[in-house]
Amino acid sequence: MKRVITYGTFDLLHYGHINLLRRAKQLGDYLIVALSTDEFNKNEKNKVCYFPYEKRKALLESIRFVDLVIPEESWDQKKTDVALYHIDTFVMGDDWEGKFDFLKEQCEVVYLPRTKEISTTKIKTDLQK
Ligand code: C2G
């Protein structure tokens, strides 16, 4: 069984995220999503989430491409996660191109094209018009 992992905040969840998750799942048989906790978002990513972790986790768990959701609490957990979950492929959108190439010693690293026209920032801006 080919195991894939990806990381993110996924707030507000939109079709760009779904496009990423669908393509990530197509690269294997089992997809793990490491979901940024509220603390990690606030302290490390300077992001204040609209939905708290448990709500974002429930949304992701309802997506048929997603097999398991685990917490992302640190920038430094990826190597351990890849080993612990016996990951074959690490996937991120290409806004992260090259940033996680250090994982190539442990698994395949794939950067997928982002869905260009959609972002949470755009949603928030459009809603204020
Ligand atoms: N994404 C995408 N297209 C968009 C928006 C997002 O393909 N229009 C992808 C991103 O490239 C990322 C994933 O969806 O791979 C999740 O996006 P975010 O929630 O913004 O994740 P990010 O804040 O980049 O966190 O340790 C890694 C970080 O946790 C990644």
Side-chain angles (χ1 to χ4, degrees):
M1 174 162 73
K2 203 165 171 206
R3 301 163 70 86
V4 183
I5 195 165
T6 191
Y7 291 72
T9 296
F10 296 96
D11 179 74
L12 294 167
L13 188 66
H14 55 66
Y15 69 88
H17 297 130
I18 303 300
N19 284 346
L20 188 285
L21 295 170
R22 181 182 62 254
R23 287 174 293 161
K25 182 59 177 283
Q26 285 167 349
L27 293 172
D29 310 290
Y30 189 87
L31 174 61
I32 299 175
V33 177
L35 180 62
S36 309
T37 61
D38 298 335
E39 298 75 17
F40 182 58
N41 276 305
K42 182 165 171 284
N43 301 333
E44 299 296 328
K45 296 167 81 172
N46 198 27
K47 283 188 176 183
V48 178
C49 292
Y50 183 77
F51 291 122
Y53 178 82
E54 285 308 319
K55 295 280 189 289
R56 290 183 286 119
K57 180 171 185 280
L59 282 166
L60 285 174
E61 286 172 337
S62 71
I63 298 169
R64 60 187 165 90
F65 308 123
V66 176
D67 296 290
L68 176 68
V69 179
I70 63 171
E72 179 185 29
E73 298 166 298
S74 156
W75 291 112
D76 305 324
Q77 71 182 69
K78 293 181 178 66
K79 281 191 168 187
T80 313
D81 289 347
V82 168
L84 193 63
Y85 292 96
H86 309 290
I87 298 300
D88 299 289
T89 305
F90 169 93
V91 178
M92 286 303 293
D94 61 5
D95 48 319
W96 292 92
E97 183 79 37
K99 296 287 192 309
F100 303 114
D101 286 358
F102 62 86
L103 291 169
K104 285 181 177 176
E105 297 158 28
Q106 294 176 259
C107 63
E108 184 188 14
V109 175
V110 175
Y111 301 102
L112 297 171
R114 276 174 67 92
T115 305
K116 292 201 180 356
E117 76 278 4
I118 184 75
S119 68
T120 301
T121 309
K122 180 174 177 357
I123 294 168
K124 289 176 181 171
T125 310
D126 289 355
L127 286 173
Q128 283 159 4
K129 285 176 185 164

